Amino acid sequence: MVKAVVGANWGDEGKGKITDMLAEKADFVVRFQGGANAGHTIVNKYGKFALHTLPSGIFYDHTTSIIGNGVALDIPVFCKEIQTVVEQGAPMPKILVSNRAQIVMPYHVLFDQYEEERLGKKSFGSTKSGIAPFYSDKYAKIGFQVSELFDDERLLEKVESVVEKKNVLLEHMYHKPLLKVDELMTTLREYRDMIAPYVADVSVVLHQAIKEDKVILLEGQLGTLKDPDHGIYPMVTSSSTLAAYGAIGAGIPPYEIKEVITVCKAYSSAVGAGAFVSEIFGEEADELRRRGGDGGEYGATTGRPRRMGWFDCVASKYGCRMQGTTGVAFTVLDVLGYLDELPVCVGYEIDGEVTTDFPVTTLLEKAKPVYEVLPGWKCDIRGIKKYEELPENCRKYIEFVEEQIGYPITMISNGPGRDDIIYR
Ligand code: GDP
């Protein structure tokens, strides 16, 4: 049984918490795309953890965590994360890394920085973790798979050829120090030794697990609107954020994904540049940002303040549709208890016409939000375990959103902890 947990919006919807919770009944948790550029925050009995590369299931003894072939694997970041988790008192996680996963090279991180510097004001707001240069190289066929670390001779040959190419850019385009083959080889040999204990043919492992009816969770990073095909291109990430890609990035048959749990936050937040129709500003935004998430809406990786907005039904309906949603997990609802009224974006006005279909980027930039305003519930809903016990206005908000997006809200998260969940 394979389930995917993915985001409907711009990321930071609380996927980490939902995955961590569902991992209680999972045998495997698999990361299938993205890299160390985004993060999940998880709160459990061992403390509060910001994970960037490790899947959210690592805190259970009975789950095996998998880094799939679709991931951008930053080996030092990966190893550092394991070390931190263990140092904070959690048991040593069981982890397998795909032998086909590709490696974020030190120069990918540099090129990410240099390119953002070059673009200046026109930059993408990259987290500078090397993700865009990494995926560019992967598809230009000059990336390095984990398996390649184990053949020194071939590795050297390829490193020489790649360095030659990179150095032309470094010298003439960016005017930065050049790469040295021997230094890079030394680093890669260190990487090999660091990663060796974890390497496996994970697609074989997962096929066997499917045969044995094990529960496999695919954990997505970011959300639909950051997908390179279906998102707000070019202000997107460089790997697909859709559940469908889980089949490719984990190496399993597409028809095995039986459930798609799309995580949708009860208000909006986004990082990086790009159109954000229901964005709010000033004191209104500051207050939501301060109260948001668990300790404020600031990036788990970068610490930068997130852009804030009201719930966007147009974006979320689309976000759920492109994921192939079977159920929605509606999160961080507890945060909204302070509001007298809750504006909800129910349409986009573009050139005088209102639509509820999420448009392409060129039109999105012209869209103005159409709001409906719902009454607030003005109380703290944390600790409530039953849907019927939620205040009436809170239920009305949930049911209104459900009607607008057209997908069933099956879980409501009313706090950051594992148990702060209401099933419907
Ligand atoms: P992800 O990347 O989608 O996993 O999202 P984040 O890790 O950025 O999660 C958002 C933040 O919200 C984290 O700090 C979570 O601990 C927190 N969080 C998740 N669900 C809830 C919730 O229902 N209520 C509150 N208050 N915080 C939550």
Side-chain angles (χ1 to χ4, degrees), residues 264 311-321 328 330 344-348 354-357 370-374 396-409:
C264 218
F311 189 80
D312 183 336
C313 297
V314 179
S316 302
K317 179 176 81 162
Y318 176 75
C320 288
R321 175 161 67 85
V328 174
F330 198 53
V344 179
C345 175
V346 294
Y348 290 175
V354 175
T355 179
T356 62
D357 287 323
V370 177
Y371 285 116
E372 246 183 71
V373 179
L374 273 64
K396 278 191 175 151
Y397 184 72
I398 296 164
E399 286 158 28
F400 181 82
V401 164
E402 184 171 53
E403 163 99 31
Q404 292 283 323
I405 64 178
Y407 291 89
I409 294 177

Side-chain angles (χ1 to χ4, degrees), residues 23-99:
E24 196 164 7
K25 294 202 181 91
D27 302 292
F28 294 88
V29 181
V30 188
R31 285 274 323 264
F32 61 89
Q33 47 90 217
N37 52 329
H40 295 303
T41 314
I42 293 175
V43 182
N44 59 28
K45 66 178 175 198
Y46 304 110
K48 184 171 173 175
F49 298 87
L51 303 179
H52 305 290
T53 297
L54 299 181
S56 305
I58 53 149
F59 296 104
Y60 294 101
D61 311 331
H62 64 274
T63 51
T64 301
S65 300
I66 290 191
I67 306 292
N69 56 277
V71 170
L73 175 66
D74 188 321
I75 293 176
V77 172
F78 169 81
C79 292
K80 182 89 209 307
E81 248 172 65
I82 297 178
Q83 195 193 340
T84 311
V85 163
V86 174
E87 275 172 9
Q88 287 195 41
M92 175 65 195
K94 277 179 276 177
I95 307 180
L96 301 176
V97 172
S98 166
N99 53 5

Side-chain angles (χ1 to χ4, degrees), residues 46-262:
Y46 304 110
K48 184 171 173 175
F49 298 87
L51 303 179
H52 305 290
T53 297
L54 299 181
S56 305
I58 53 149
F59 296 104
Y60 294 101
D61 311 331
H62 64 274
T63 51
T64 301
S65 300
I66 290 191
I67 306 292
N69 56 277
V71 170
L73 175 66
D74 188 321
I75 293 176
V77 172
F78 169 81
C79 292
K80 182 89 209 307
E81 248 172 65
I82 297 178
Q83 195 193 340
T84 311
V85 163
V86 174
E87 275 172 9
Q88 287 195 41
M92 175 65 195
K94 277 179 276 177
I95 307 180
L96 301 176
V97 172
S98 166
N99 53 5
R100 291 177 182 271
Q102 293 202 12
I103 305 159
V104 177
M105 303 291 270
Y107 54 78
H108 287 142
V109 180
L110 295 174
F111 275 98
D112 207 351
Q113 290 163 5
Y114 299 161
E115 182 61 9
E116 290 278 294
E117 254 172 61
R118 189 182 76 83
L119 291 171
K121 280 206 181 71
K122 291 190 172 151
S123 77
F124 288 89
S126 159
T127 59
K128 304 186 184 76
S129 321
I131 302 303
F134 165 92
Y135 282 106
S136 308
D137 279 1
K138 176 172 176 177
Y139 293 108
K141 296 171 285 189
I142 52 168
F144 290 83
Q145 286 190 341
V146 164
S147 58
E148 290 177 81
L149 293 174
F150 297 88
D151 185 337
D152 223 51
E153 223 170 282
R154 282 187 55 171
L155 187 65
L156 178 62
E157 218 173 278
K158 188 160 161 188
V159 164
E160 281 170 341
S161 147
V162 171
V163 163
E164 196 180 349
K165 197 165 169 181
K166 297 292 173 198
N167 278 347
V168 174
L169 285 174
L170 286 171
E171 186 174 353
H172 299 290
M173 176 115 170
Y174 297 112
H175 314 294
K176 296 286 183 184
L178 303 189
L179 302 175
K180 296 196 183 78
V181 170
D182 51 341
E183 276 178 18
L184 195 52
M185 281 301 290
T186 306
T187 305
L188 291 179
R189 287 185 194 115
E190 285 166 13
Y191 282 12
R192 176 196 60 205
D193 296 341
M194 288 159 89
I195 206 69
Y198 307 104
V199 180
D201 189 342
V202 302
S203 128
V204 169
V205 175
L206 291 174
H207 275 254
Q208 189 58 31
I210 290 170
K211 261 194 202 152
E212 291 168 8
D213 243 353
K214 300 273 200 245
V215 177
I216 300 168
L217 283 186
L218 303 175
E219 176 179 33
Q221 188 199 41
L222 296 167
T224 305
L225 304 176
K226 292 284 185 182
D227 183 77
D229 281 82
H230 296 285
I232 52 172
Y233 189 86
M235 299 303 177
V236 293
T237 192
S238 304
S239 65
S240 176
T241 57
L242 300 184
Y245 190 75
I248 297 160
I252 57 166
Y255 54 77
E256 294 293 350
I257 305 174
K258 306 292 185 205
E259 268 184 42
V260 178
I261 297 148
T262 304

